Amino acid sequence: MKTQPIRFLRRGQVVSLTVETNRTLLDLLREDLHCTGTKEGCGEGDCGACTVVVGEEKNGQLELNAINSCIRMAHSVDGLALWTVEDLKSEDGALHPVQESLVQCHGSQCGFCTPGFAMSLFGLYEKQGGNPVSRAEAQGALSGNLCRCTGYRPILDAAQSMHQHLPVRVDRAAVLQDLRDMAAQGKTAKARAAAAEDTYHRPARLADLLQLRARYPQAQLVAGCTDVGLWVTKMHRTFDRIIDTTRVKELRRVEQYKHHIAMGAAVTLTDAFAALVADRPQLASFAHRFAGLPVRNSGTLGGNVANGSPIGDSMPLLIALGANVVLMSVRGHRELRLEDLYTGYRQNVMAADEVLAWIKVPKAVPTEFSRVYKISKRFEDDISAVCLAVNLHLKDGVVAQASLGVGGVAATPVRARKTQAALQGKPWNQSTVKEAMQVLRAEFSPISDMRASAAYRSEVLGNLLQRFWLESQGGSGSSLESLVVEGAAA
Ligand SMILES: Cc1cc2nc3c(=O)[nH]c(=O)nc-3n(C[C@H](O)[C@H](O)[C@H](O)COP(=O)(O)OP(=O)(O)OC[C@H]3O[C@@H](n4cnc5c(N)ncnc54)[C@H](O)[C@@H]3O)c2cc1C
Ligand code: FES
Ligand code: FES
């Protein structure tokens, strides 16, 4: 197996190691560095026992984010700052406010999950500048952490009392300077090193990414690795060569235009949803229901779209909003509607030398009414059984334009064309909706699997359109949601 050097910052020191291409960050920590405070539970991003915090410079500021180390490639932290649970306690042994709080609120019993909770709370503490946090903020920050014995009430209490202890904050200016120094030294070292031997590539510019893609079309492209990481940990796949898109500056940008938002494919789900929610605030609860925070901090919008899972959550929404994707290669670029990207189950039109570069999402307009509904067995950190997104433009009580994206009912995320036709030009009233519900239920032939039966999926799809109608009339539809979610679990 090929190895190559990586360097990252920890406790103010540069850690330099030679690491195998396919090594995960968790294995690096536990097996190579013997930092066994970070735990392995599920190995698939679901439990949060392996949570660590990474720091990097974004727009001239240090940004700290909790991530799952079990499904991150070790090489992805090259050039970043890293905190594990071993790094919270101060030199003199005093506990960090996060740890002190967990102790005082009895937030731990067997303790297996505790390092992960501590790191998620550390991420929250830093994000909030050591200030008090609300219950909702605490729940959001802990959405990727599972505890099987303590119960969540004491842990949430701990989150809400962290600010009461002697404050301890990361010296952001110092870390930023250390990161810059490390990067400067890294450039000099790189100039001397035999970069041609590299098998884990982290291009910093789009032009370099496209050159690499053309040169190594068989290489595994990765972004946040929240899908690919599971191929490594669960399917034991190994890759001869990996191209990581997450350092490409152009692809990490969110650009605002008059009529659309252009999101680079390597923008994290956290940042992508923040931009979408700023434009359409009604998407906030949907954004919260996409995985858990550590997955959203690592995973990218481009990875979700390119992976093309039929139950991927962003695609029904993006289809309904009329998003386009831009594919790029050394040969040039092309733009297509998102739904035209897919040709079959996890298959798409991308050529071997192409990458997904941009996702262009039309901005909200005053005549539209849009909603997205996700039906899953758990409220958060769960994959959809069905997802429906509707974007309706009304003029004088008539449907001027209907756009519907659906997930969980076909081999790919799809546009509900027949239902759109059934709504187009019709008065927006209950009788139109009733007819459209029947069309929507009949439009797809979903499968039965562990998440839901085919009959349930079809039935609920129609119900969601009814809910959309009620909400368009000022109803909240919340009682309907609990009915639907209970139905999914049955
Ligand atoms: C615990 C957990 C919960 C999850 N919950 C949800 C959920 O609620 N909803 C949901 O939709 N998904 C969910 N996921 C799946 C996953 O998080 C998302 O699909 C995520 O967006 C993937 O992005 P990534 O950057 O991690 O992709 P990666 O894993 O890095 O890559 C995924 C695929 O996309 C390709 N790819 C990445 N970037 C590009 C590019 N620029 N051009 C071409 N190809 C590219 C890769 O080659 C790979 O085939 C969950 C995953 C986990 C582990
Ligand atoms: S070990 Fe469960 S999320 Fe990583
Ligand atoms: S304290 Fe035992 S799993 Fe959380």
Side-chain angles (χ1 to χ4, degrees), residues 46-252:
D46 257 324
C47 74
C50 66
T51 308
V52 297
V53 167
V54 288
E56 63 183 314
E57 183 168 352
K58 266 194 194 169
N59 306 320
Q61 306 285 324
L62 179 70
E63 190 176 286
L64 268 62
N65 285 307
I67 58 149
N68 302 114
S69 62
C70 64
I71 49 171
R72 266 287 275 254
M73 291 290 136
H75 279 277
S76 73
V77 299
D78 183 70
L80 306 187
L82 179 72
W83 286 264
T84 71
V85 73
E86 286 92 349
D87 307 327
L88 295 188
K89 200 168 67 166
S90 63
E91 298 279 304
D92 64 3
L95 294 184
H96 187 278
V98 160
Q99 296 168 305
E100 193 61 52
S101 240
L102 280 166
V103 171
Q104 291 193 10
C105 295
H106 307 286
S108 175
Q109 283 189 19
C110 80
F112 186 80
C113 70
T114 310
F117 274 95
M119 293 315 291
S120 288
L121 289 178
F122 170 62
L124 176 66
Y125 182 85
E126 279 296 325
K127 202 138 269 175
Q128 301 291 336
N131 293 312
V133 300
S134 67
R135 203 70 164 180
E137 284 164 342
Q139 279 167 335
L142 298 176
S143 55
N145 293 87
L146 291 182
C147 175
R148 290 177 196 279
C149 48
T150 305
Y152 295 99
R153 202 259 310 141
I155 301 175
L156 291 167
D157 288 349
Q160 290 197 274
S161 48
M162 303 185 296
H163 65 284
Q164 292 166 5
H165 303 286
L166 210 60
V168 178
R169 296 289 315 284
V170 165
D171 183 345
R172 287 168 178 260
V175 175
L176 212 48
Q177 191 54 51
D178 288 346
L179 281 174
R180 287 172 183 161
D181 291 347
M182 182 170 66
Q185 288 160 11
K187 271 185 198 142
T188 323
K190 192 96 187 165
R192 283 195 299 270
E197 297 294 307
D198 287 357
T199 49
Y200 193 103
H201 304 274
R202 291 176 302 268
R205 294 181 314 142
L206 183 54
D208 295 338
L209 171 68
L210 299 181
Q211 287 292 346
L212 280 165
R213 195 70 187 135
R215 191 162 166 207
Y216 304 118
Q218 303 308 325
Q220 179 61 46
L221 207 59
V222 305
C225 219
T226 59
D227 281 313
V228 176
L230 275 73
W231 309 347
V232 174
T233 60
K234 296 292 152 181
M235 294 150 94
H236 303 290
R237 282 181 61 181
T238 56
F239 310 112
D240 293 337
R241 189 177 293 281
I242 293 175
I243 304 173
D244 181 334
T245 63
T246 56
R247 302 301 169 86
V248 178
K249 288 187 183 60
E250 296 93 326
L251 298 192
R252 297 180 51 155

Side-chain angles (χ1 to χ4, degrees), residues 64-67 72 127 268-270 292-299:
L64 268 62
N65 285 307
I67 58 149
R72 266 287 275 254
K127 202 138 269 175
T268 63
L269 291 160
T270 300
L293 185 64
V295 168
R296 294 197 300 273
N297 283 342
S298 246

Side-chain angles (χ1 to χ4, degrees), residues 44-47 68 71 209 213 220-231 245-246 251 265-266 269 289-292 295-296 298-309 311-315 348 350 354-357 374 381-384:
E44 56 183 64
D46 257 324
C47 74
N68 302 114
I71 49 171
L209 171 68
R213 195 70 187 135
Q220 179 61 46
L221 207 59
V222 305
C225 219
T226 59
D227 281 313
V228 176
L230 275 73
W231 309 347
T245 63
T246 56
L251 298 192
L269 291 160
R289 293 191 60 196
F290 192 114
V295 168
R296 294 197 300 273
S298 246
T300 62
L301 190 63
N304 198 230
V305 168
N307 197 42
S309 164
I311 47 174
D313 279 328
S314 70
M315 295 85 99
N348 59 51
M350 260 186 279
E354 270 181 325
V355 300
L356 170 61
K374 169 173 175 168
D381 216 357
D382 201 4
I383 307 280
S384 295

